[in-house]
Amino acid sequence: MKNLIKHYVVYKNIALFYLIVSLLTRLVLLFHPITQSHFSFIDYLKIFSIGILNDLFVFIPIGSLLWLYLIFISNTKYKKPFGYIILGVFVSILLYILSGESILSEYGGVLPEIGLAFVGLKTILFALLLFFEKYRKKIRFVLFSFTLFLFVLLIIQNAVSEFFFWNEFGVRYNFIAVDYLVYTNTVIGNIMESYPVVPLFSIIGIVAVLSTYFIIQKSKKYLDEIPNINAKISIILGQLVLIALALFTIPNLAKKEDSSNVFTNELQSNGLYKFYLAFMNSELDFMKFYDTLPENELANFENITHVKLNQNIVHIQPTEKEVQKNVVLITIESMSAEFMKHYGNNENITPFLDELADKSLFFTNLYATGNRTVRGLEAVTLCLPPTPGESVVKRKDNKNKFSTGSIFKSKGYQIKYLYGGDAFFDNMQDFYGGNGYDIVDKANLKSNEISFSNIWGVCDEDMANKAIKVMNEEHQAGKPFFNHWMTVSNHRPFTYPDGKIDIPANSKSRNGGVKYTDYALKQFFTLAEKQPWFKNTVFVIVADHCASSSGKVELPLEKYRIPAMIYAPGFIKPQECHTLMSQIDLMPTTLGLLHFNYKSKFFGQDVFTPHYSPRAFIATYQDLGYVKDNYLTIISPVKRVKQFLLKPKSNSNYEIYYDEIPTENINNKYKKETIAIYQLASSILKKKKYQSLMIPNKNN
């Protein structure tokens, strides 16, 4: 037992360092000026006793990463023939990546370079330890020291990050921290502008080096007597037991955060576990972090939202006779308005969509609600403004919602979600399956139906062919159908079948991805026109979001402008609609054109009704924007409100670019409208009042 315990020396020293840093962090946060609260003796007891236990058990699974490194320290693996076999495996993987045909190259971006750097470094280091046995101990000590330095640096960096996060929000990590991780470049830029980074990182580096030095002095004896295979098995088994104990204990300790004092709950918790919970739960409490209005005041904005908090149902009763045509909704991956010729693009990368727009009801002034596919899917499916945190699509409470699908299903339609990739990705299968859609994805395609695929799924052309087959089967069943097809080809790595367009497939360019998707859509409509159901079908085409979202301001308007059109020859007259509108309005407008009679919970509205007031919603995970009357109002956590006057660069109806000029005085009318709409949407979701009605067809 004594021999076994000494092998834990490295783990013990890093754990002790983590506990000390966590305790100091807790003390600093406790006495921070933002922590304006009175604490009782019981509060102090919970903060430090439960707090230390939280830190200890959270470290156990994190410390497993250290064990992964320590367990693989061995002299045996360098003996013949094992050493040469292992080196051969490393070289083979390296050559595989260098070939340019690896899965990393297929995805593209910086992944091949990262993979090459990592495997290349591992190969070089292993070769050095294999061939230079005389220097193996020194090389290993350098690697050992560097690894411990990384752990120490990360522990210190996390403590500093927690301090700055507390300094801004007065809480441990939440979904805003997850948001910061997603928008790394923006956050780094903000840090560079807001803090004295050189002195700060210099101090962090010096403290990390000194701390590492002392830990190494106490831990280097591990290298003098590396545990044998039996000891390593015992260590692994022991670590598995500790991990199991930690996974059981951590959530139970979290249940002790039951004080009426919010600061007590936050201080006794562990920031890393809070980050994990935020990442998994994907929500941000609107009432806690945003400026709000009293509930009785929300009623004053019913004419804006057309939704009530306590009775959020509106009966849509057109005077015209209902038209039950098939509806095909096509959401196009990353199709920014700026790609189309109509909006000034001269590269001819959307020839079919430009032609189709002239034959359609073309919405020229429509904005995406967000900058990710799940936000776009949420917008056209739930017709709901974006709420803080992750899209409803990825939340646990995402089933049996009031949706476009539920409307069509109540009318006797067959409803399906078609996706060329694996619908498990981004929780699409869980969301659409849980809302009554049948799902057709890559798994439903036979091998002879796939001509080309990449990491995201089959090419759009293959899925177009599959969609035609599915719709033919639905037509033969004798019931109308509503199908939602999500394309995939306009996505990194931008690979597609060669010889289809005039941009080589091996260029892996955004323009190529855009033009190939445009080509695939043309093939789809060419086939569709030959089918017996075509003349009885309404096609709704819209982007899920823009190709990029970063800009010089929080919400750059041009990064949310997307094309949208409704195409139904002989039914819908081609025309341009220049009315400002949101992605959430597209399907209610489609239902209006069909004269559907239904009870609605939608925030989205039919833009052709007299009561429609032009506005749009644009958002990130935490910045919620409201565009109206040439004003952009943004509400953010910690009850921040910003407002910009929007000045278009030209008078064109297709102008994408606006100067966003900060207003000196906040317009209170638009501020309150912004808060009211987002607060109402968040409250209705939280109170589970956005569930499906599933009105039987006979009652319509």
Side-chain angles (χ1 to χ4, degrees):
M1 178 62 71
K2 185 177 180 181
N3 288 334
L4 184 61
I5 290 174
K6 72 181 180 181
H7 295 316
Y8 277 81
V9 62
V10 184
Y11 185 82
K12 179 198 74 175
N13 290 332
I14 292 291
L16 184 60
F17 179 74
Y18 175 74
L19 292 175
I20 291 171
V21 171
S22 298
L23 177 61
L24 292 174
T25 302
R26 190 168 277 110
L27 284 168
V28 170
L29 300 184
L30 177 63
F31 293 105
H32 192 286
I34 205 171
T35 316
Q36 297 178 355
S37 181
H38 172 74
F39 296 100
S40 66
F41 174 76
I42 298 298
D43 288 331
Y44 284 116
L45 191 63
K46 290 182 70 176
I47 288 171
F48 291 102
S49 60
I50 297 178
I52 291 171
L53 286 174
N54 265 317
D55 297 337
L56 176 62
F57 283 107
V58 165
F59 177 79
I60 290 172
I62 295 172
S64 299
L65 297 174
L66 178 61
W67 272 122
L68 278 176
Y69 165 73
L70 295 174
I71 288 297
F72 282 99
I73 293 178
S74 167
N75 287 318
T76 306
K77 64 184 177 184
Y78 298 108
K79 293 180 179 179
K80 296 180 181 179
F82 303 116
Y84 294 97
I85 293 173
I86 295 171
L87 181 61
V89 170
F90 276 129
V91 171
S92 299
I93 296 173
L94 188 62
L95 292 174
Y96 170 63
I97 297 173
L98 282 169
S99 70
E101 302 296 327
S102 71
I103 192 170
L104 300 179
S105 296
E106 181 181 331
Y107 183 77
V110 297
L111 270 185
E113 287 78 11
I114 293 173
L116 187 64
F118 178 77
V119 178
L121 184 61
K122 288 289 293 181
T123 304
I124 292 170
L125 291 175
F126 190 88
L128 288 173
L129 290 164
L130 175 65
F131 295 117
F132 296 92
E133 185 176 355
K134 181 180 178 181
Y135 301 101
R136 185 180 298 165
K137 192 171 183 179
K138 290 182 179 179
I139 296 171
R140 179 178 284 153
F141 180 75
V142 171
L143 295 175
F144 177 78
S145 301
F146 181 71
T147 302
L148 293 191
F149 171 75
L150 285 180
F151 271 90
V152 168
L153 182 63
L154 289 172
I155 290 170
I156 296 172
Q157 186 62 57
N158 175 67
V160 173
S161 299
E162 285 212 58
F163 169 79
F164 284 119
F165 197 82
W166 186 277
N167 187 61
E168 187 170 0
F169 300 106
V171 294
R172 295 279 194 169
Y173 293 142
N174 55 28
F175 195 79
I176 300 173
V178 179
D179 184 24
Y180 283 175
L181 188 64
V182 173
Y183 295 100
T184 307
N185 290 339
T186 304
V187 174
I188 289 175
N190 181 51
I191 291 172
M192 296 291 286
E193 293 177 3
S194 304
Y195 301 105
V197 291
V198 174
L200 178 63
F201 287 131
S202 297
I203 292 171
I204 291 173
I206 292 169
V207 173
V209 168
L210 292 175
S211 301
T212 304
Y213 174 79
F214 287 110
I215 291 173
I216 289 172
Q217 295 305 306
K218 297 285 186 180
S219 307
K220 61 184 180 181
K221 55 186 175 183
Y222 179 88
L223 298 179
D224 296 331
E225 196 172 335
I226 299 170
N228 57 32
I229 187 64
N230 291 329
K232 287 182 178 180
I233 291 173
S234 299
I235 290 168
I236 292 170
L237 292 175
Q239 190 64 17
L240 289 174
V241 171
L242 287 174
I243 291 172
L245 179 62
L247 295 180
F248 172 79
T249 306
I250 293 170
N252 282 293
L253 285 174
K255 294 177 183 178
K256 303 297 182 183
E257 296 169 24
D258 53 6
S259 173
S260 58
N261 187 331
V262 175
F263 284 113
T264 299
N265 295 331
E266 292 292 333
L267 288 167
Q268 76 182 55
S269 64
N270 179 277
L272 292 174
Y273 182 61
K274 284 282 190 178
F275 184 92
Y276 166 78
L277 289 178
F279 185 81
M280 297 303 293
N281 294 330
S282 306
E283 293 183 51
L284 191 60
D285 191 335
F286 185 93
M287 302 301 289
K288 183 176 181 180
F289 291 101
Y290 291 79
D291 207 352
T292 58
L293 298 175
E295 274 199 16
N296 59 356
E297 196 174 336
L298 288 177
N300 299 331
F301 297 91
E302 288 176 6
N303 62 322
I304 300 295
T305 62
H306 297 279
V307 174
K308 299 178 182 179
L309 179 59
N310 297 318
Q311 194 177 8
N312 58 315
I313 299 174
V314 177
H315 198 164
I316 309 297
Q317 295 177 292
T319 55
E320 295 89 343
K321 184 180 178 181
E322 189 169 288
V323 181
Q324 284 210 347
K325 286 183 174 288
N326 305 313
V327 177
V328 176
L329 168 62
I330 305 174
T331 43
I332 309 174
E333 174 68 51
S334 306
M335 184 61 68
S336 304
E338 64 182 359
F339 294 146
M340 292 184 65
K341 185 177 180 180
H342 283 78
Y343 293 91
N345 190 298
N346 295 317
E347 297 176 289
N348 194 35
I349 55 177
T350 58
F352 175 70
L353 284 176
D354 280 312
E355 180 185 344
L356 190 67
D358 293 330
K359 300 176 182 178
S360 305
L361 170 54
F362 185 24
F363 301 100
T364 66
N365 198 12
L366 183 144
Y367 286 88
T369 59
N371 43 38
R372 286 214 46 219
T373 295
V374 286
R375 246 341 158 195
L377 296 179
E378 172 191 79
V380 296
T381 303
L382 302 182
C383 306
L384 180 79
T387 47
E390 187 57 273
S391 162
V392 175
V393 175
K394 297 191 74 172
R395 297 182 189 177
K396 291 180 181 178
D397 180 27
N398 66 356
K399 298 175 180 62
N400 195 34
K401 297 298 180 189
F402 187 80
S403 66
T404 51
S406 69
I407 296 295
F408 284 107
K409 199 162 192 176
S410 72
K411 301 287 184 180
Y413 278 63
Q414 308 165 78
I415 65 171
K416 287 185 175 66
Y417 178 69
L418 291 77
Y419 181 63
D422 184 350
F424 179 79
F425 176 73
D426 259 349
N427 215 41
M428 288 184 277
Q429 182 170 309
D430 184 62
F431 174 69
Y432 282 105
N435 283 286
Y437 289 70
D438 294 323
I439 295 172
V440 179
D441 67 357
K442 183 180 178 180
N444 297 102
L445 272 72
K446 299 174 183 177
S447 58
N448 62 354
E449 293 178 312
I450 302 174
S451 66
F452 181 91
S453 65
N454 63 17
I455 196 167
W456 287 108
V458 302
C459 63
D460 287 342
E461 203 176 350
D462 287 344
M463 202 60 204
N465 293 330
K466 183 65 175 179
I468 295 293
K469 291 180 182 179
V470 168
M471 292 172 204
N472 284 339
E473 292 170 0
E474 290 172 321
H475 173 70
Q476 291 171 5
K479 293 171 65 179
F481 55 79
F482 168 60
N483 291 329
H484 180 175
W485 170 26
M486 177 74 223
T487 73
V488 301
S489 290
N490 183 28
H491 197 299
R492 190 176 297 281
F494 308 118
T495 56
Y496 44 85
D498 210 355
K500 301 290 184 177
I501 59 175
D502 57 5
I503 300 176
N506 61 8
S507 68
K508 296 185 178 180
S509 67
R510 167 71 73 178
N511 278 8
V514 171
K515 194 161 190 175
Y516 173 72
T517 289
D518 183 82
Y519 167 85
L521 289 172
K522 182 178 181 180
Q523 303 311 304
F524 170 76
F525 279 96
T526 300
L527 288 172
E529 287 173 355
K530 300 175 183 177
Q531 310 309 318
W533 43 263
F534 175 76
K535 291 184 179 180
N536 193 42
T537 303
V538 174
F539 298 91
V540 184
I541 303 101
V542 64
D544 62 342
H545 58 83
C546 280
S548 65
S549 59
S550 60
K552 295 180 180 179
V553 291
E554 289 96 329
L555 297 176
L557 213 59
E558 70 273 11
K559 301 299 184 180
Y560 290 83
R561 186 78 163 268
I562 57 173
M565 60 195 79
I566 300 177
Y567 175 62
F571 177 61
I572 295 177
K573 180 183 176 181
Q575 60 179 303
E576 293 180 353
C577 175
H578 303 304
T579 304
L580 172 66
M581 60 188 290
S582 172
Q583 211 172 13
I584 71 173
D585 301 316
L586 187 60
M587 290 311 294
T589 300
T590 303
L591 297 176
L593 292 169
L594 294 169
H595 312 308
F596 269 25
N597 186 320
Y598 65 102
K599 291 180 180 179
S600 174
K601 293 186 178 184
F602 292 147
F603 280 69
Q605 299 172 39
D606 179 353
V607 299
F608 294 118
T609 56
H611 62 256
Y612 175 72
S613 179
R615 82 284 178 269
F617 306 95
I618 60 176
T620 61
Y621 290 101
Q622 58 171 311
D623 293 324
L624 308 176
Y626 178 63
V627 182
K628 188 173 183 181
D629 297 337
N630 287 323
Y631 278 94
L632 168 60
T633 306
I634 302 174
I635 57 175
S636 304
V638 200
K639 307 184 187 298
R640 287 194 296 248
V641 179
K642 289 184 179 181
Q643 204 167 72
F644 301 87
L645 182 65
L646 302 173
K647 185 178 179 181
K649 301 281 189 179
S650 73
N651 294 322
S652 169
N653 287 318
Y654 292 97
E655 179 57 65
I656 295 176
Y657 298 95
Y658 288 75
D659 288 326
E660 297 184 17
I661 306 167
T663 57
E664 292 184 8
N665 299 306
I666 298 290
N667 184 307
N668 204 45
K669 175 180 180 290
Y670 298 127
K671 171 187 171 181
K672 285 194 170 185
E673 282 186 19
T674 306
I675 294 170
I677 293 172
Y678 283 115
Q679 181 177 337
L680 192 57
S682 298
S683 297
I684 284 175
L685 280 175
K686 189 172 184 178
K687 295 179 179 180
K688 299 184 184 297
K689 292 186 176 182
Y690 210 74
Q691 302 307 105
S692 172
L693 296 174
M694 282 305 298
I695 311 168
N697 192 39
K698 62 182 180 180
N699 292 334
N700 290 326

